[in-house]
């Protein structure tokens, strides 16, 4: 029994990428030439993100697919993951008898400057979420670090009395002092390093890169504000 439980827990961590994973050489993939020299390696190729997202969509539909879903996309870092996840949920919905109405709403959070989290968290577009009452809410985030942002957002959303709230995070960082709550659906657990690509930015750069990559020291210097 204990073993089964441990396995179920592991599923919620997603695909674990260890600290000693060197990633793939950039030369093995295509990426925009304007970023040459700005990246160390590819840690998750775009195709792997797509395959993992397909499975997450199935898990989500299994749990939430009994009632109207409202997807809350956390901008800007979550937009690509949210778009691809919603596509896959739509595909499941139109290819089975099991189909549910889904709405998508966007909110914006901002707390990072350079590669550092700042104390003040701004939530935009979340003033009146009364339409969430009685709905199954799926919060979709690109990356979860300490979990502080997610906790703040969860508190905010709970106040509008949804039927159920689940969180999907494409990436969860292994950070020290992280909060107890982790997303219900995790794509990948990654080392505590600054990653970019697939809508994740460094001062607004790198959202136009499709793989998830580690930024290089020279890349950080180049785009520092
Ligand atoms: N990359 C981009 N945005 C982020 C990260 C990261 O590693 N961590 C928190 N926000
Ligand atoms: Mg950012």
């Amino acid at each position: 029994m204990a073993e089964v439980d441990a396995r179920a827990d592991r599923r919620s961590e997603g695909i674990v990428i260890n600290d000693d994973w060197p990633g793939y050489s950039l030369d093995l993939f295509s990426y925009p030439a304007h970023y040459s020299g700005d990246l160390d390696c590819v840690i998750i190729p775009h195709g792997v993100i797509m395959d993992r997202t397909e499975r997450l969509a199935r898990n989500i539909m299994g749990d939430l697919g009994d009632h109207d879903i409202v997807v809350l996309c956390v901008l800007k870092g979550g937009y690509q993951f949210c778009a691809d996840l919603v596509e896959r949920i739509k595909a499941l919905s139109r290819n089975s008898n099991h189909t549910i109405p889904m709405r998508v709403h966007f909110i914006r959070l901002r707390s990072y400057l350079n590669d550092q989290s700042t104390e003040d968290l701004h939530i935009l577009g979340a003033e009146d979420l009364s339409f969430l009452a009685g709905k199954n809410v799926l919060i979709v985030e690109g990356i979860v670090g300490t979990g502080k942002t997610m906790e703040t957002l969860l508190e905010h959303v709970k106040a509008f009395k949804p039927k159920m709230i689940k969180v999907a995070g494409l990436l969860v960082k292994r950070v020290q002092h992280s909060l107890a709550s982790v997303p219900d659906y995790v794509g990948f657990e990654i080392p505590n390093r600054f990653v970019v690509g697939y809508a994740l930015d460094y001062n607004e750069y790198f959202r136009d890169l499709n793989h998830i990559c580690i930024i290089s020291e020279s890349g950080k210097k180049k785009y520092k504000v």
Side-chain angles (χ1 to χ4, degrees):
M1 194 59 202
E3 236 174 71
V4 173
D5 287 344
R7 225 172 294 140
D9 280 354
R10 231 168 283 143
R11 173 178 132 172
S12 70
E13 287 170 359
I15 295 174
V16 177
I17 298 176
N18 290 321
D19 287 348
D20 60 0
W21 165 239
Y24 298 101
S25 162
L26 284 147
D27 297 336
L28 298 170
F29 296 95
S30 298
Y31 67 99
H34 53 263
Y35 291 135
S36 68
D38 303 336
L39 302 163
D40 274 345
C41 65
V42 173
I43 74 159
I44 315 172
H46 183 254
V48 178
I49 303 168
M50 295 295 99
D51 291 335
R52 180 71 187 130
T53 302
E54 183 178 345
R55 180 54 198 257
L56 289 175
R58 197 176 110 190
N59 296 348
I60 289 165
M61 274 300 268
D63 297 343
L64 298 190
D66 63 330
H67 197 73
D68 293 26
I69 298 181
V70 181
V71 173
L72 267 191
C73 172
V74 181
L75 297 174
K76 292 181 183 177
Y79 93 82
Q80 193 65 65
F81 175 49
C82 186
D84 289 323
L85 185 63
V86 163
E87 265 321 294
R88 273 145 195 85
I89 293 173
K90 281 162 59 187
L92 289 172
S93 212
R94 68 177 175 261
N95 288 299
S96 81
N97 299 325
H98 188 79
T99 173
I100 35 128
M102 178 170 55
R103 282 201 217 175
V104 186
H105 186 80
F106 298 89
I107 57 176
R108 171 109 198 255
L109 293 180
R110 195 162 187 274
S111 69
Y112 266 72
L113 191 64
N114 295 315
D115 58 353
Q116 297 301 311
S117 177
T118 59
E119 277 302 308
D120 48 333
L121 179 72
H122 307 276
I123 309 184
L124 299 164
E127 297 80 13
D128 183 17
L129 300 179
S130 52
F131 60 92
L132 298 182
K135 300 284 195 300
N136 280 348
V137 176
L138 180 70
I139 297 175
V140 181
E141 290 221 44
I143 189 161
V144 175
T146 59
K148 226 164 69 181
T149 306
M150 198 182 83
E151 294 247 306
T152 310
L153 187 58
L154 271 173
E155 282 312 306
H156 188 80
V157 170
K158 268 183 202 157
F160 296 96
K161 308 256 188 300
K163 178 169 179 259
M164 194 195 303
I165 310 176
K166 296 280 186 188
V167 179
L170 177 65
L171 307 178
V172 171
K173 270 194 198 180
R174 269 192 307 279
V175 292
Q176 280 173 349
H177 315 299
S178 65
L179 300 175
S181 62
V182 289
D184 303 284
Y185 309 100
V186 176
F188 303 85
E189 184 195 282
I190 64 166
N192 188 12
R193 300 183 62 188
F194 203 80
V195 294
V196 291
Y198 195 69
L200 299 173
D201 74 311
Y202 176 83
N203 295 332
E204 300 299 328
Y205 289 91
F206 301 104
R207 294 198 206 272
D208 58 336
L209 168 70
N210 59 352
H211 311 293
I212 293 176
C213 300
I214 303 280
I215 187 172
S216 65
E217 284 308 314
S218 63
K220 283 190 190 175
K221 273 198 205 106
K222 185 165 157 188
Y223 301 111
K224 205 177 183 80
V225 292

